[in-house]
Amino acid sequence: MGCVSIDCLEWLSSLYNRCFKLLRCSFSKSSSPFNRRWRCRTKVAAQPFSVSSRNSFGYGQWLHGPGTEFASGSICFGDIFITQATEFQKVWSTSDGANNGGVAFYKPVNLPRGFQSLGYLSFQNDGSFEGLVLVAMNNGNSYIPALSSPKGFTLVWSYIEGGTFSGPVYFWQPIPPDGYASLGYVVTLTADAPSLGEIACVRVDLTDVCKLNAIAWETDTPSSFKVWNLIPTEIGADSLGVPVGAFGCGTDSSSNGICVGCLKNTSFMLSGMPSREQLTSLINEYGPTIYFHPDEKYFPCSVSWFFGKSILLFSRCQNIPITVSADGSNLPQGGSDDDEYWLDLPNDGTAHEVKRGSLANATVYVHAKPMFGAAFTDIAFWLFYAFNGSATAKLEVVNLSLGKIGEHVSDWEHVTLRINNLTGKLSKVFFSQHSGGVWVNPADLEYAEGSRFVVYSSKSGHASYPKPGLVLQGDHGIGIRNDTAKSQYVLDSSQKFEFISADYLGSENAPGEPVWLQYMRKWGPKIEYDLKQEIEKAIHKAPSVLRSKLRSLIKKLPDEVFGEEGPTGPKQKSSWMGDEKV
């Protein structure tokens, strides 16, 4: 028999491994030896430091869907398994540095058998631990191992003595073998290089490009040094990059020389994503209770209720509008927002009634998608309002209505739950607020009952907030009011919801999308009014000593506030497939 080249062997091995990998990843881990081993190691010791969560599910509660690994503790990412480190040992910390609170560096410890660390983690002393720190294990199926020890370490920066820190520290970057990449750094207290088994490097085809996010810590003592948080370069439902929770660091004033990446989920099985039944359980468990202001005039409603009120579809090509059908089936489908079509309220004298909406008929529309290489699931709760009310300005102790400024037909708002697919627990919540929003950790939420948290919808504008009270868009006591409070007006999204999209489930299991979801044009007309006249009316109402301040405030308002157009639907939002905009 003739000689077989190494390239040929690698090709045959790769072909075999891909077939075996699909079979391996498709089996429920509840019957695998690995799963039994993992279950024996789920007990977390109290020391030296362990991750805890307010929300917890029993192990195996979710393992009723064929082929799913959701909340099983580990996920198959092709040639590797990943799991979450739960215990950490502090290596070094300081209260000094340019970020005020200082920083602490931790080493993952007591890892499950066979798993290896990919990098140490850092977090600021003035904040709670929020991270997800991943560790990895070879699945044993590849001709070329997925993980390898580094060849050595390069010293990046050190502090020995003579400064204000409490003790010496050394930061090391692994030197990966050819064909491998390092995903993190090691921190020690001595000048001796770490052992080669301290950290694992990952085969390059299992890694993705990473970018520097916020600066976690920086110092000029004894020389310039910065520590960055790392995130995948591309973030969205179709992106494969998975952050491992490690940090990047360097002595350069920019990001030059920061050579670390993140994991890539090369398995297209999406075995770590929740099934439809599990999605329903998550919504029942975490679905927020939404409170509306006691003085709210414009409530949410279902889309079918809205269309049942003789809503009109206008077109530039036709002089006479048509009435939208109750299910929206006569709306133009697909395309883009080209200003050719728009919706408007009925002209039969009932527009005022329609504007108020119908809380009794309101429902929450649910969209689920994978994030960060299917290590997380984002569940967006969309609310539809028939009308958005006018803005109110606060001028120190004076409140002033801005007339028609801020009004528009239709309003889409949302709150997004980010679920950790390894644990099935709530990771954080996004509250949409006008053109942006904020992420909030579970520990900082207000809870109505059990794990169901509270959302406060602002009066007239319907922005979402985690706490009641006044949020002012402005400064020094002057700005646009966002008022929230508890009242008798409340919506329980854990019970009143409708799935509208979850593409990752496949055509057989995904919910059928309503036809109105494919309407890509505006859900309301552009409201035309004399802008200068409206501004002058508002200014004239203000006390004379505050009029100059009101003029200054109005100049700072974004252009869209003045020439309000109806919004596009959920599928036209960047967050539909991408990350939330903060």
Side-chain angles (χ1 to χ4, degrees):
M1 181 176 178
C3 295
V4 180
S5 70
I6 295 297
D7 290 340
C8 183
L9 285 174
E10 289 183 357
W11 179 84
L12 289 172
S13 176
S14 174
L15 179 62
Y16 168 81
N17 288 334
R18 285 183 179 275
C19 295
F20 189 84
K21 176 177 64 178
L22 294 180
L23 291 173
R24 174 81 175 258
C25 289
S26 66
F27 284 111
S28 171
K29 293 180 60 191
S30 60
S31 61
S32 70
F34 166 78
N35 197 47
R36 292 196 295 271
R37 181 164 67 247
W38 167 255
R39 281 200 277 184
C40 292
R41 300 185 60 85
T42 54
K43 184 176 180 180
V44 178
Q47 296 296 330
F49 166 64
S50 62
V51 175
S52 61
S53 174
R54 184 184 190 281
N55 308 108
S56 180
F57 293 94
Y59 184 87
Q61 175 178 346
W62 303 104
L63 300 180
H64 54 79
T68 185
E69 296 175 299
F70 176 70
S72 66
S74 67
I75 300 175
C76 175
F77 269 14
D79 286 345
I80 59 174
F81 285 110
I82 62 138
T83 190
Q84 180 174 344
T86 58
E87 294 184 51
F88 306 91
Q89 186 173 49
K90 183 185 289 187
V91 178
W92 186 80
S93 65
T94 178
S95 58
D96 296 323
N99 67 329
N100 299 322
V103 70
F105 296 91
Y106 283 81
K107 168 186 176 178
V109 295
N110 297 332
L111 305 183
R113 186 190 314 166
F115 281 88
Q116 296 175 267
S117 171
L118 301 176
Y120 285 22
L121 71 147
S122 70
F123 63 93
Q124 295 177 352
N125 291 333
D126 58 355
S128 61
F129 178 74
E130 306 171 8
L132 171 67
V133 180
L134 298 182
V135 292
M137 180 178 73
N138 272 302
N139 72 4
N141 296 330
S142 178
Y143 177 75
I144 303 175
L147 303 176
S148 176
S149 297
K151 296 190 298 182
F153 290 88
T154 299
L155 181 63
V156 178
W157 181 84
S158 64
Y159 161 79
I160 302 176
E161 60 182 359
T164 60
F165 300 134
S166 57
V169 65
Y170 301 80
F171 287 78
W172 304 87
Q173 181 174 3
I175 303 172
D178 292 343
Y180 291 82
S182 62
L183 304 188
Y185 290 77
V186 174
V187 183
T188 67
L189 301 180
T190 69
D192 298 327
S195 67
L196 298 183
E198 186 66 19
I199 194 172
C201 298
V202 182
R203 208 173 65 213
V204 291
D205 62 301
L206 302 176
T207 66
D208 207 346
V209 181
C210 195
K211 68 178 180 181
L212 307 180
N213 193 17
I215 292 179
W217 183 64
E218 59 181 321
T219 182
D220 291 323
T221 305
S223 60
S224 177
F225 181 66
K226 292 184 179 182
V227 175
W228 286 270
N229 296 321
L230 302 173
I231 58 173
T233 301
E234 296 183 2
I235 301 175
D238 294 331
S239 302
L240 303 178
V242 185
V244 300
F247 62 87
C249 63
T251 56
D252 196 289
S253 59
S254 66
S255 61
N256 295 330
I258 311 300
C259 300
V260 290
C262 59
L263 285 176
K264 180 195 293 183
N265 186 352
T266 60
S267 171
F268 49 84
M269 299 296 289
L270 294 177
S271 55
M273 292 292 292
S275 66
R276 182 162 179 174
E277 292 77 15
Q278 292 164 345
L279 280 174
T280 299
S281 297
L282 286 167
I283 294 170
N284 293 153
E285 179 75 17
Y286 291 122
T289 298
I290 306 169
Y291 282 101
F292 304 92
H293 195 275
D295 297 328
E296 181 62 69
K297 295 180 180 179
Y298 309 110
F299 292 95
C301 61
S302 67
V303 172
S304 60
W305 180 92
F306 182 66
F307 287 162
K309 298 297 180 179
S310 301
I311 300 303
L312 302 176
L313 172 67
F314 285 81
S315 170
R316 290 189 183 276
C317 301
Q318 297 177 345
N319 294 326
I320 301 176
I322 63 172
T323 302
V324 178
S325 61
D327 61 357
S329 58
N330 61 342
L331 291 171
Q333 300 287 289
S336 61
D337 182 23
D338 52 12
D339 291 327
E340 288 297 318
Y341 298 93
W342 62 93
L343 302 182
D344 204 351
L345 299 173
N347 55 11
D348 58 4
T350 62
H352 182 73
E353 172 200 342
V354 177
K355 284 182 180 181
R356 286 190 55 81
S358 175
L359 186 57
N361 289 282
T363 190
V364 173
Y365 298 103
V366 175
H367 169 225
K369 69 177 186 287
M371 288 294 290
F372 296 104
F376 292 87
T377 299
D378 273 11
I379 306 176
F381 290 67
W382 288 91
L383 274 176
F384 175 73
Y385 299 80
F387 195 75
N388 191 91
S390 64
T392 299
K394 183 178 186 297
L395 305 173
E396 296 177 353
V397 296
V398 177
N399 296 316
L400 187 66
S401 172
L402 295 184
K404 295 181 179 180
I405 296 175
E407 291 185 346
H408 56 83
V409 174
S410 299
D411 190 20
W412 281 101
E413 301 290 347
H414 73 284
V415 173
T416 297
L417 283 62
R418 180 157 289 172
I419 303 295
N420 180 339
N421 288 346
L422 285 164
T423 64
K425 297 175 183 177
L426 182 65
S427 175
K428 53 185 177 179
V429 178
F430 181 79
F431 292 77
S432 68
Q433 299 165 355
H434 306 300
S435 59
V438 295
W439 285 104
V440 179
N441 295 318
D444 298 322
L445 297 170
E446 177 184 334
Y447 289 85
E449 181 181 356
S451 301
R452 294 194 292 275
F453 61 94
V454 173
V455 174
Y456 292 93
S457 176
S458 66
K459 178 190 171 193
S460 297
H462 311 137
S464 301
Y465 295 93
K467 303 292 183 182
L470 168 64
V471 176
L472 196 66
Q473 286 180 267
D475 49 39
H476 306 299
I478 299 176
I480 301 297
R481 297 185 65 102
N482 289 275
D483 292 281
T484 62
K486 283 185 178 177
S487 72
Q488 65 190 37
Y489 307 120
V490 60
L491 177 63
D492 182 359
S493 67
S494 71
Q495 301 301 315
K496 299 191 68 174
F497 66 90
E498 176 186 335
F499 284 115
I500 58 171
S501 184
D503 288 342
Y504 74 88
L505 290 173
S507 57
E508 293 184 2
N509 299 311
E513 293 187 353
V515 291
W516 54 258
L517 192 58
Q518 294 297 330
Y519 173 66
M520 302 299 181
R521 277 77 173 190
K522 290 183 174 62
W523 284 65
K526 181 174 181 178
I527 297 179
E528 302 287 351
Y529 53 81
D530 189 323
L531 174 61
K532 184 176 180 181
Q533 184 179 23
E534 289 296 318
I535 292 176
E536 289 303 321
K537 282 181 181 179
I539 292 174
H540 183 72
K541 294 177 183 178
S544 57
V545 295
L546 297 176
R547 289 176 184 173
S548 62
K549 294 182 178 180
L550 179 57
R551 286 186 186 276
S552 177
L553 170 64
I554 291 176
K555 288 180 181 179
K556 296 178 182 178
L557 295 177
D559 292 340
E560 58 265 25
V561 171
F562 301 108
E564 286 293 2
E565 296 178 309
T568 52
K571 229 174 187 181
Q572 284 288 85
K573 311 300 185 187
S574 61
S575 64
W576 184 261
M577 292 297 290
D579 200 8
E580 300 290 354
K581 180 181 178 181
V582 178

